[in-house]
Amino acid sequence: MTTVSPTPAPARASAEEIRAEFAPLFSRIRAGAVERERSRELPFLVVEELKQTGFTALRVPLEFGGRGVGLSEFAALLVDLAAADSNVAHLLRGHIAFLERLLLRPPGNHRDQWLRRIGAGALIGNAASERNELTEITTRLEERGGRWTVTGTKYYTTGSIYADWISLSAVRGETRHSVLVDASHHGVRVADDWDGFGQQLTASGGLTLTDVPVDPQDIRAFEPEDPQAGFGVGLFQVILLLVAAGVAQSAVQDAMDYVRPRRRTFAHRGELAPREEDVVQTVVGEVAAKAHAARLIVLGQVAALDAYARKAADGAREGTQDEVASLAEESAQLAREVFQAQLVVLELVQRATTEIFEVGGASATSTSRSLDRHWRNARTIASHNPAKYRARAVGEYLLTGEFALWGGKGPAGAPAVQEGQDAQEAPEGQAGPAGNAGRGDADHGRHL
C-alpha cells in the first residue's frame, strides 16, 4: 500500500520578505503619483495591480486565498504604500476596516464566503454619510415580496469608485442597518466630484443608489452595545494615522531629492552646496525625526490593536460573559489611546510637511515639484476627525471617568454624533435611529 504524504501548508513569508516583494511596486506607484494628481488621473490601474499582486488580501487567512499576514506587518506596508501615494493607501481604508471586523467574527458560512471573495481579489468600498441636516440618514432599506433593496444618495464615499462591493448605511423604520451591494449593479452610480484640496484621487464623492438589490444575509442591524466598538473607532483612526505617517515619510524623501543635486544657495552663504549647509542639514534632520516618530507612534498603536484583535477573535469563539465585559473595557481603552496618538501624530506630520520648505528658497514652491501636496494631504487627513474633539474626550475621561466614544452629548443628553466623529465621513452601521444617525467615518464598517 502506497502512503501519500499530506501536502504541506504554504509557508508564511517573513515581514522583511514581503516588504521586499512589494518594494518595486511601491516604487512604480511613487513614480507616477505627482503626474496622476496633476492630471487628475484616478489610479484604477494601480488599484487593479494591488489586487492582482494580492496586497488587498494579505490579511486574509491562507485557507481562504490570502497570505495570513499579521496586522502589524500589514500596517508597516500600508505606511510604505502611503509614502508612495497617500491617495491609494487612503482609498483602501473601508476595505481594510471591513476585513478586520470580519476576522473578529467566529467561523461561519457568511464570514467564510466574504473571506474567500476578498482572498480572490474583491475590493470593498464604503458609503455612509449624506449631505443632510445634522446627521440624518435618508437612504432606505426596503422589502417587497421577499426582495430587499436600497435607494438613496451618499457622499464622502472613499474608495467606492474603485470597489467591487460597497458597504453602506441605510434605515428601515427607526433602525439603522449596514448592507452590502454589488458595485457593478446598474442602479449604482459613483461620481468623481470630491473637491477637497488634498487626497484628491480618493474619489470621496457622491453615490446614488436606485432600487439596488441586497442579499438578506448582507443586512446587519446596528448593535448599540457592541463590545468591540472601541476597537472599531481606534482601527478607523489608526488607518488615517498610518496614511499620515506615510505622507511625512514621502515629504522627507522629496526634501532629500530636492536638496542633493541643488547648487544654488542663499546669497549670504555661497561657499557651500546646500546639501553641506548646516541650516539645511538641520531642517532635514528635524523633519526626518518627526516622520520617524510619527511612524513609530502609530505602529505602536497598531500593535495594541493587533493584540486585542487576536484576543477578541478567541473570545468570540469561547469567551465567558466576564471575558466579553473585559474585552469591551479594553476596547474602549484602545480608542482612548488612539485619540491621544492622533493628537501627536497629526501635529508632527503637519509640522514636517510645512518645514520641508525651509530647505530651499522660492524654487521649493514650484508646482512642478509639488511639495505642497504633502501639506495639503496631511491637512485633509487631519480634518477627517478634528483633534480638538479627541482631546476633549480624553480630558473628560481623565477628569470625570466618563468617556463619550461617540463624540459627546447634544441636547437632552442625546448623542450628538456617533462613532468616529468625522468632518467628512459617517460611520458604517454605527448609529441609532434614523434621525440621530452618526456623521463620522464613512469607512467605519461594522456590517460583518
Side-chain angles (χ1 to χ4, degrees):
M1 181 177 178
T2 303
T3 301
V4 179
S5 301
T7 302
R12 286 185 173 86
S14 68
E16 293 77 14
E17 290 171 333
I18 293 177
R19 194 176 189 189
E21 175 186 338
F22 282 97
L25 173 58
F26 293 169
S27 293
R28 294 197 301 275
I29 292 173
R30 178 177 174 81
V34 172
E35 182 54 36
R36 280 192 297 271
E37 181 180 295
R38 183 177 291 120
S39 60
R40 198 176 180 86
E41 176 190 346
L42 297 182
F44 286 104
L45 295 178
V46 172
V47 173
E48 186 60 31
E49 191 165 6
L50 288 171
K51 292 164 62 175
Q52 292 298 325
T53 57
F55 183 84
T56 57
L58 283 174
R59 286 280 293 136
V60 174
L62 292 168
E63 62 267 30
F64 297 108
R67 301 279 293 274
V69 170
L71 180 57
S72 294
E73 290 76 16
F74 178 77
L77 285 172
L78 192 67
V79 176
D80 291 345
L81 176 58
D85 188 330
S86 61
N87 292 274
V88 175
H90 189 170
L91 68 84
L92 297 175
R93 188 181 178 213
H95 175 85
I96 295 166
F98 178 95
L99 177 54
E100 290 307 315
R101 291 301 300 249
L102 193 63
L103 290 170
L104 291 185
R105 295 183 63 194
N109 290 337
H110 193 239
R111 167 190 177 271
D112 297 352
Q113 176 190 55
W114 278 101
L115 286 175
R116 290 190 188 94
R117 282 177 175 167
I118 297 172
L123 187 72
I124 314 299
N126 71 91
S129 185
E130 301 179 12
R131 285 180 158 177
N132 299 322
E133 292 185 3
L134 301 177
T135 58
E136 184 182 14
I137 294 295
T138 60
T139 298
R140 313 302 299 185
L141 173 64
E142 300 173 320
E143 185 269 332
R144 297 188 187 93
R147 180 175 181 268
W148 291 86
T149 62
V150 288
T151 296
T153 302
K154 297 291 187 180
Y155 201 70
Y156 305 117
T157 58
T158 304
S160 288
I161 202 169
Y162 308 98
D164 302 294
W165 296 84
I166 303 172
S167 74
L168 55 94
S169 58
V171 292
R172 176 171 169 78
E174 292 298 311
T175 304
R176 180 165 172 170
H177 297 74
S178 61
V179 303
L180 284 153
V181 298
D182 184 345
S184 67
H185 188 269
H186 62 80
V188 177
R189 293 287 185 272
V190 187
D192 177 26
D193 56 355
W194 164 236
D195 64 353
F197 61 62
Q199 297 299 93
Q200 295 176 348
L201 304 184
T202 58
S204 301
L207 167 70
T208 59
L209 305 138
T210 306
D211 199 29
V212 180
V214 182
D215 187 329
Q217 293 186 87
D218 293 329
I219 300 171
R220 190 172 180 86
F222 166 64
E223 301 172 19
E225 302 302 326
D226 183 357
Q228 295 168 357
F231 172 84
V233 173
L235 174 66
F236 260 86
Q237 187 55 45
V238 154
I239 295 169
L240 283 181
L241 297 183
L242 289 165
V243 177
V247 169
Q249 187 171 303
S250 184
V252 173
Q253 186 61 54
D254 274 1
M256 292 163 57
D257 291 344
Y258 170 77
V259 169
R260 282 172 174 161
R262 185 170 167 80
R263 298 299 304 169
R264 188 171 184 272
T265 188
F266 296 105
H268 65 284
R269 292 295 301 272
E271 72 278 12
L272 294 173
R275 66 179 179 276
E276 299 169 336
E277 217 281 326
D278 55 353
V279 173
V280 174
Q281 291 175 348
T282 298
V283 171
V284 171
E286 290 176 343
V287 170
K290 291 179 177 66
H292 178 66
R295 181 184 178 107
L296 287 183
I297 292 169
V298 69
L299 289 179
Q301 288 301 137
V302 172
L305 288 166
D306 195 1
Y308 173 87
R310 295 173 191 274
K311 189 186 301 184
D314 292 339
R317 296 176 178 86
E318 54 193 43
T320 66
Q321 193 169 12
D322 287 344
E323 287 171 333
V324 170
S326 175
L327 282 172
E329 174 51 38
E330 210 174 311
S331 176
Q333 177 63 24
L334 279 175
R336 292 190 289 270
E337 291 173 355
V338 171
F339 286 4
Q340 292 178 84
Q342 178 186 353
L343 295 171
V344 178
V345 170
L346 294 179
E347 180 179 354
L348 286 171
V349 173
Q350 289 178 87
R351 287 174 59 189
T353 55
T354 297
E355 291 170 6
I356 58 171
F357 292 95
E358 302 298 333
V359 300
S363 62
T365 67
S366 169
T367 56
S368 65
R369 296 188 179 279
S370 198
L371 293 182
D372 63 302
R373 79 187 190 280
H374 300 305
W375 180 87
R376 289 187 288 102
N377 290 335
R379 180 63 263 178
T380 300
I381 292 167
S383 295
H384 279 63
N385 299 89
K388 294 295 184 185
Y389 286 94
R390 304 310 202 187
R392 187 213 56 78
V394 172
E396 180 183 34
Y397 173 75
L398 293 174
L399 294 172
T400 70
E402 298 292 328
F403 180 55
L405 187 62
W406 313 124
K409 292 186 177 180
V417 291
Q418 302 295 333
E419 178 172 337
Q421 168 68 30
D422 188 310
Q424 289 188 343
E425 304 171 18
E428 181 61 59
Q430 289 295 328
N436 196 34
R439 180 174 173 78
D441 296 339
D443 309 326
H444 215 321
R446 279 181 55 193
H447 20 70
L448 291 175

